[in-house]
C-alpha cells in the first residue's frame, strides 16, 4: 500500500510539473521591438564568416568541395577556414578526427624531406573559392615527435576521447628542425600564392595546448611558439602570427594557461631570439556550451559559451599593450565534439533541426554585445562544424550539411551573409541580455530579440525566438517590429525564414520516412528544402512619416530575416 501511495504521489508530482511546464509554454507573451535607422551601434563585422574542422582531407573530397563552395558563395567577404592536422604524417586518408598531409618526413640520415602536395591541394581549394586560411601550424610530424609511437589513432564515436592523443601531440625532439619546417612552409606559400595573398592569412600554433592536444608542458608550448613565430616572421616579416587557441577561459586552468602565455609575450625571455617578449598579432581562445539530456529532452547551455567569451575578453582587456589586438574565438560552438554523433551522444540531438539554427542566431548577437561591452577587437568566431563524408544521413554530427544536403543551421549563415555592415540598436523590453544569459542561460521565457544593420540602400533585421529547452509544441510568439527614420517613402520588404516548415531539409527528410538511402529524386527534394526560403513573396509597402510596422508570428526556435530595400 505504501509503495502504491508513493507511486501515485510521484505520478501526481510529474503531472503537476507537466501542467506547469505546458502552462508556461502556452502563456506566450507578445514582443515589441523598435529599430531607428539613425541609431547606429558600431560596425557589424562579419565575425560569422569563419569555419573550421578536424579532418583536413575532407576539404577536397566530393561533399567537402560542394559545401566550401556554398559557404564561399553566401558571404560578401572572404571566408576564413581553420583545419587541424596540416603537418601530420600519413597518406592523406580521411577519418573521424584524423587527417594527414605527409608534409615532413626524413631520409635515413635524418635529413628533411618536404612534400607540400596535399597541403597545396587543401589551400588551393580555399584560394580558388576566394577563401583565406587561418593556417594552423600543427601537429607534430612523426619524424620530429619525442614520442612517435603509437602515431595514428583509429577513434570512433563512443570511444574514450583521450584515445586520439597519440604521437602527433608531443613536442619536437629538435626545435631547430621544427622551426625550419615552419619557415619552409611559409616561404613555399609565398612562392606559390604571392606575398600580398599570404599577408592576408592568419598563422597560428596548435590547438587547445592546455589539454591532451599538447603532451608537453606549458613552458614547452611557449618555447614552441617562440621558435614558430620567429620562423614565420623570418619567412615573411609582414605575416600575422597568433595563439594560443586554449579551451574556454571560463575554466580556471584554461584561464591560467592563457595568462601565462600572454605574460610571456609581453615580458618573457624569448627561447628563439633571447630577446624580451614574442611576436603576437592576434589572440585566440575557444568558447563552448554544454547541452544535457533531461528526461529525453535536450537542454542547451548557451550561458556556458558566453561565459567563456566573457572571461576571455576580461583576460585580454587586462593587458594594456595587447587589448586592442584582433581576437579570434578559434572554436565557438554549442558544445565540444563535432564528430560525436547523436547515436552515441543523445544530448547532441539538437544538431539536425532548428535548435542549432536559432542557437546560432541568438549566440552570435550576444558575441557582438560582449565585444562592445569589453571594447574588444573581435575579428572572428569560428564555427567548428563542416561535413563528414560517407556517414549516415542526419546522423547528428555537428555539421552544416549531411551527404551534400544543407541543414537548417547553414541557412542562418546565409541570412548573416545578407546583412548590412552598419549595426543598429534594437530597443525593446527584452527578457534577456548578454549578462543574464552568461550568468543563467535561457531557462525561463524564450529569448526573443533581434540583430539589425543598415547600408546605403537597405536595412536588415534578423529576429530570433530561442530557448535552451527544445519544445516544438509551443505557440508562436507574436512580434511587432517598428522601423523608424526610413529615408524613403516606399520600400520592398522580403522576409526569409528558418523554422520547422521553411528552409529545413530535416523536416523534409522525416516526412519521407527517414530513408537510409534516399532515391535521387528524394535527394533533389532534400537539396531544395535545404536552401534559404522566402516566407512570403516580397512586398512593396508605403512608409508614413519615416515609419513602418512589420508583424510576424515567430515559432519557437525560429529565425526570420527582414530585408527592407529603399525605393527612391
Amino acid at each position: 500500500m505504501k509503495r502504491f501511495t508513493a507511486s501515485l504521489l510521484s505520478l501526481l508530482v510529474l503531472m503537476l510539473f507537466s501542467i506547469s511546464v505546458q502552462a508556461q509554454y502556452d502563456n506566450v507573451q507578445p514582443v515589441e521591438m523598435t529599430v531607428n535607422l539613425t541609431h547606429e551601434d558600431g560596425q557589424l563585422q562579419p565575425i560569422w564568416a569563419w569555419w573550421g574542422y578536424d579532418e583536413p582531407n575532407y576539404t577536397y573530397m566530393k561533399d567537402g568541395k560542394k559545401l566550401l563552395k556554398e559557404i564561399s558563395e553566401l558571404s560578401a567577404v572572404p571566408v576564413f577556414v581553420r583545419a587541424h592536422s596540416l603537418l601530420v604524417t600519413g597518406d592523406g586518408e580521411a577519418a573521424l578526427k584524423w587527417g594527414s598531409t605527409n608534409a615532413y618526413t626524413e631520409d635515413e640520415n635524418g635529413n628533411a624531406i618536404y612534400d607540400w602536395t596535399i597541403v597545396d591541394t587543401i589551400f588551393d581549394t580555399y584560394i580558388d573559392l576566394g577563401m583565406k586560411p587561418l593556417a594552423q601550424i600543427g601537429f607534430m610530424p612523426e619524424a620530429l615527435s619525442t614520442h612517435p609511437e603509437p602515431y595514428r589513432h583509429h577513434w570512433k564515436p563512443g570511444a574514450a576521447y583521450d584515445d586520439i592523443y597519440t604521437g602527433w601531440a608531443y613536442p619536437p625532439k629538435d626545435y631547430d628542425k621544427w622551426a625550419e619546417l615552419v619557415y619552409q612552409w611559409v616561404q613555399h606559400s609565398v612562392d606559390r600564392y604571392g606575398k600580398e595573398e599570404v599577408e592576408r592569412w592568419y598563422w597560428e600554433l596548435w590547438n587547445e595546448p592546455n589539454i591532451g592536444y599538447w603532451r608537453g608542458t606549458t613552458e614547452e608550448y611557449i618555447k614552441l611558439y617562440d621558435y614558430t613565430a620567429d620562423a614565420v616572421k623570418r619567412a615573411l616579416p609582414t605575416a600575422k602570427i597568433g595563439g594560443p587557441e586554449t579551451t574556454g577561459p571560463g575554466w580556471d586552468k584554461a584561464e591560467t594557461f592563457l595568462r601565462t602565455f600572454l605574460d610571456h609575450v609581453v615580458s618573457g625571455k624569448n627561447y628563439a631570439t633571447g630577446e624580451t617578449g614574442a611576436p603576437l598579432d592576434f589572440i585566440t581562445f575557444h568558447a563552448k556550451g554544454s547541452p544535457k539530456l533531461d528526461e529525453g529532452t535536450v537542454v542547451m547551455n548557451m550561458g556556458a559559451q558566453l561565459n567563456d567569451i566573457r572571461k576571455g575578453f576580461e583576460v585580454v582587456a587586462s593587458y594594456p599593450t595587447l587589448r586592442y589586438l584582433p581576437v579570434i574565438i578559434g572554436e565557438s560552438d554549442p558544445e565540444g565534439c563535432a564528430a560525436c554523433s547523436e547515436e552515441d551522444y543523445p544530448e547532441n540531438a539538437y544538431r539536425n533541426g532548428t535548435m542549432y539554427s536559432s542557437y546560432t542566431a541568438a549566440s552570435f548577437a550576444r558575441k557582438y554585445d560582449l565585444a562592445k561591452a569589453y571594447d574588444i577587437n573581435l575579428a572572428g568566431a569560428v564555427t567548428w562544424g563542416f561535413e563528414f563524408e560517407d556517414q549516415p544521413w542526419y546522423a547528428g554530427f555537428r555539421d552544416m550539411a549531411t551527404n551534400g544536403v544543407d541543414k537548417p543551421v547553414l541557412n542562418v549563415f546565409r541570412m548573416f551573409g545578407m546583412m548590412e555592415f552598419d549595426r543598429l540598436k534594437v530597443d525593446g523590453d527584452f527578457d534577456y541580455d548578454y549578462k543574464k544569459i552568461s550568468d543563467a542561460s535561457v531557462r525561463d521565457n524564450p529569448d526573443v530579440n533581434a540583430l539589425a544593420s543598415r547600408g546605403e540602400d537597405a536595412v536588415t533585421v534578423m529576429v530570433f525566438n530561442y530557448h535552451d529547452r527544445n519544445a516544438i509544441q509551443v505557440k508562436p510568439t507574436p512580434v511587432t517590429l517598428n522601423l523608424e527614420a526610413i529615408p524613403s517613402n516606399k520600400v520592398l520588404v522580403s522576409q526569409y525564414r528558418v523554422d520547422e516548415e521553411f528552409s529545413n531539409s530535416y523536416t523534409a527528410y522525416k516526412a519521407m520516412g527517414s530513408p537510409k538511402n534516399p532515391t535521387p529524386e528524394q535527394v533533389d527534394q532534400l537539396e531544395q528544402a535545404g536552401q534559404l526560403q522566402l516566407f512570403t513573396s516580397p512586398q512593396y509597402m508605403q512608409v508614413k512619416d519615416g515609419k513602418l510596422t512589420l508583424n510576424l508570428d515567430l515559432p519557437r526556435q525560429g529565425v526570420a530575416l527582414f530585408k527592407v530595400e529603399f525605393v527612391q
Side-chain angles (χ1 to χ4, degrees), residues 302 305-306 309 358-368 464:
M302 187 184 296
Q305 184 183 2
L306 296 190
I309 297 172
S358 62
Y359 182 107
T360 298
S363 63
F364 268 92
R366 276 34 185 266
K367 294 170 196 177
Y368 286 109
F464 49 85

Side-chain angles (χ1 to χ4, degrees), residues 154-288:
H154 297 275
W155 182 88
K156 293 182 179 180
Y161 196 86
D162 283 358
D163 290 351
I164 72 171
Y165 304 133
T166 48
W168 54 265
Y170 286 82
K173 60 185 180 184
D174 188 321
Y175 282 84
D176 290 325
K177 283 188 174 182
W178 167 265
E180 184 63 20
L181 166 59
V182 175
Y183 176 87
Q184 292 293 335
W185 186 12
V186 177
Q187 184 62 59
H188 170 78
S189 299
V190 173
D191 293 342
R192 186 174 183 84
Y193 304 107
K195 176 174 176 289
E196 291 185 3
E197 171 64 36
V198 179
E199 283 176 331
R200 298 180 67 186
W201 301 2
Y202 292 87
W203 296 85
E204 60 162 10
L205 176 65
W206 224 258
N207 177 69
E208 298 182 339
N210 60 304
I211 60 172
Y213 278 92
W214 177 246
R215 290 302 205 187
T217 65
T218 302
E219 201 62 27
E220 284 173 321
Y221 173 81
I222 288 172
K223 180 178 179 179
L224 192 75
Y225 181 85
D226 286 348
Y227 275 85
T228 301
D230 178 66
V232 169
K233 294 291 188 179
R234 283 190 289 110
L236 181 61
T238 51
K240 292 176 284 192
I241 178 68
E245 291 287 4
T246 59
T247 60
W251 180 28
D252 56 355
K253 292 183 179 179
E255 179 188 356
T256 297
F257 190 104
L258 178 58
R259 288 190 179 277
T260 302
F261 172 78
L262 296 178
D263 288 344
H264 172 80
V265 165
V266 171
S267 58
K269 182 178 179 180
N270 191 292
Y271 281 95
T273 66
E275 299 176 357
T276 299
L280 185 69
D281 299 303
F282 60 95
I283 301 169
T284 60
F285 59 83
H286 296 176
K288 304 284 188 175

Side-chain angles (χ1 to χ4, degrees), residues 485-536:
I486 299 173
S488 177
N489 293 325
K490 191 175 184 180
V491 294
L492 178 62
V493 180
S494 302
Q495 182 189 165
Y496 298 84
R497 184 71 71 84
V498 181
D499 57 26
E500 281 295 299
E501 183 179 354
F502 291 88
S503 313
N504 192 329
S505 66
Y506 187 49
T507 295
Y509 178 72
K510 290 185 292 184
M512 294 174 179
S514 304
K516 291 185 177 180
N517 296 293
T519 66
E521 292 77 13
Q522 288 175 321
V523 172
D524 287 343
Q525 293 173 23
L526 292 172
E527 288 184 332
Q528 293 177 25
Q531 298 301 303
L532 181 61
Q533 298 167 5
L534 283 163
F535 182 68
T536 59

Side-chain angles (χ1 to χ4, degrees), residues 57 60 90-95 98-100 118 152 154:
N57 306 102
Y60 48 82
D91 59 6
E93 179 188 3
W98 174 261
S100 62
I118 296 179
R152 164 99 193 240
H154 297 275

Side-chain angles (χ1 to χ4, degrees), residues 100-130:
S100 62
T101 66
N102 224 42
Y104 180 93
T105 54
E106 293 181 354
D107 65 19
E108 58 185 11
N109 296 317
N111 298 313
I113 301 173
Y114 303 106
D115 184 350
W116 306 111
T117 304
I118 296 179
V119 172
D120 288 347
T121 301
I122 294 168
F123 280 18
D124 286 354
T125 303
Y126 300 155
I127 302 305
D128 290 347
L129 291 170

Side-chain angles (χ1 to χ4, degrees), residues 287-291 300-306 308 332-336 359:
K288 304 284 188 175
S290 180
M300 307 296 282
N301 189 349
M302 187 184 296
Q305 184 183 2
L306 296 190
D308 276 340
S332 190
D333 306 289
E335 35 67 39
Y359 182 107

